[in-house]
Amino acid sequence: MKLKFDIKNKITSVEADVEKIVAKQMDNNEKDWKEKFTTRHEAKKELIALKHKNKLEQEEQKQKKPNIIEKYIEEKSKIKELELEQKRIEQEKLEQEKRTRTILGIVLLVIGIASMVLGTFAGYSSGDGNSPWYLVMMIGLCITGCSILIIIDAHNDNNKDKKR
């Protein structure tokens, strides 16, 4: 494109090669378009990759770090587990005590019955109505009665604990 100004003669002339200008502009636009498209496309790819990476990181953090509700539920479950463990330990202690009392009662029952039998037969064989063997029989009777009470008490304590 050429512009000529002649101020003295007051002449102005304009020569323009429109086809060359349009072709040149189209070439520039075409080159710019390809560059802009590839640049934008690459930028979008990077943005999508960053969003995906951030999303994965957030999911990992959520999995690693429980929120307040999950912490509360976890603490409650731990407390419940501890309470259940404590109850189980107490129950085991009560069962052990019951077994001990029952065994003690059975041993005393056997001793009491044995002393009653021994006292009865020995007192009868002595022929004396005031024989000290009858005292052994009475002591055996007391031991037998106490052992029965111990066994009953052990079983009653267990029933009371079940009701609680």
Side-chain angles (χ1 to χ4, degrees), residues 37-80:
F37 178 75
T38 55
T39 305
R40 286 183 184 168
H41 187 65
E42 293 297 322
K44 283 182 182 179
K45 280 184 181 179
E46 289 176 10
L47 185 63
I48 290 171
L50 286 173
K51 284 182 180 179
H52 183 68
K53 184 179 177 183
N54 287 339
K55 185 178 179 182
L56 290 176
E57 287 176 0
Q58 288 176 353
E59 288 177 2
E60 287 177 12
Q61 288 177 354
K62 284 181 182 178
Q63 290 176 352
K64 289 179 183 177
K65 187 164 91 175
N67 60 19
I68 295 171
I69 296 171
E70 290 173 347
K71 285 180 183 177
Y72 179 75
I73 291 171
E74 188 175 315
E75 288 174 3
K76 284 291 188 181
S77 65
K78 285 181 181 178
I79 290 171
K80 274 266 198 226

Side-chain angles (χ1 to χ4, degrees), residues 77-88:
S77 65
K78 285 181 181 178
I79 290 171
K80 274 266 198 226
E81 288 176 8
L82 291 174
E83 288 174 354
L84 290 175
E85 183 68 20
Q86 186 68 23
K87 285 181 181 178
R88 185 187 62 80

Side-chain angles (χ1 to χ4, degrees), residues 120-136:
T120 303
F121 285 122
Y124 181 74
S125 65
S126 71
D128 184 17
N130 292 329
S131 175
W133 287 107
Y134 290 121
L135 181 64
V136 171

